Amino acid sequence: MKKSNFVALILGTIGVVFFALGMCMALLPEWGMLNQGIVCGIVGLAVLLATVLIWRKMEGKAPIKLNAKTVGAVVVGVLGALLLGVGMCLSMVFGKMLLGIVIGLVGIVVLLMLIPLTRGVR
């Protein structure tokens, strides 16, 4: 394993743990830790952003260019993740199983659209 991949693995794991813990702290009213959860989630996002920048620097890759394709891919990814999450919430929390499954599957299809969007079809 290359050193850059190992560093990305460690930083990515730390970032995801902070983000997930922050989401739990903020969204579970039983914990009563909304403000601390928001701070923890922001720290996790910052670590994840730093992970991408550090990994690209260690690999000698150019910085990410903000063009329409990059912004579109990010928007499609966020939309797909939100649809998948809403579907899961409808199924598991609100008891609307059929609607949750349909919305979740739409979210999965939107996420799968990222592959041809970013890599292209050959």
Side-chain angles (χ1 to χ4, degrees):
M1 175 180 272
K2 292 179 5 184
K3 188 164 126 177
S4 61
N5 290 338
F6 182 70
V7 169
L9 174 74
I10 298 299
L11 287 175
T13 302
I14 292 169
V16 166
V17 167
F18 267 96
F19 182 71
L21 184 60
M23 292 296 289
C24 289
M25 291 166 66
L27 296 176
L28 291 175
E30 297 88 13
W31 290 14
M33 301 181 80
L34 176 67
N35 295 333
Q36 298 93 331
I38 291 172
V39 170
C40 188
I42 290 172
V43 167
L45 284 176
V47 170
L48 290 171
L49 179 63
T51 301
V52 171
L53 299 174
I54 291 169
W55 180 79
R56 289 188 71 84
K57 181 79 171 173
M58 289 179 78
E59 287 287 315
K61 295 186 177 199
I64 298 173
K65 297 176 186 173
L66 285 178
N67 54 22
K69 183 178 178 182
T70 305
V71 172
V74 169
V75 168
V76 169
V78 168
L79 179 67
L82 285 173
L83 285 171
L84 181 58
V86 167
M88 289 176 60
C89 286
L90 285 171
S91 296
M92 297 189 307
V93 176
F94 297 112
K96 299 184 185 295
M97 188 64 70
L98 184 62
L99 182 63
I101 290 172
V102 170
I103 292 176
L105 285 175
V106 170
I108 291 171
V109 169
V110 170
L111 289 172
L112 286 174
M113 287 174 22
L114 281 172
I115 298 169
L117 182 67
T118 56
R119 298 287 180 197
V121 179
R122 295 186 184 120

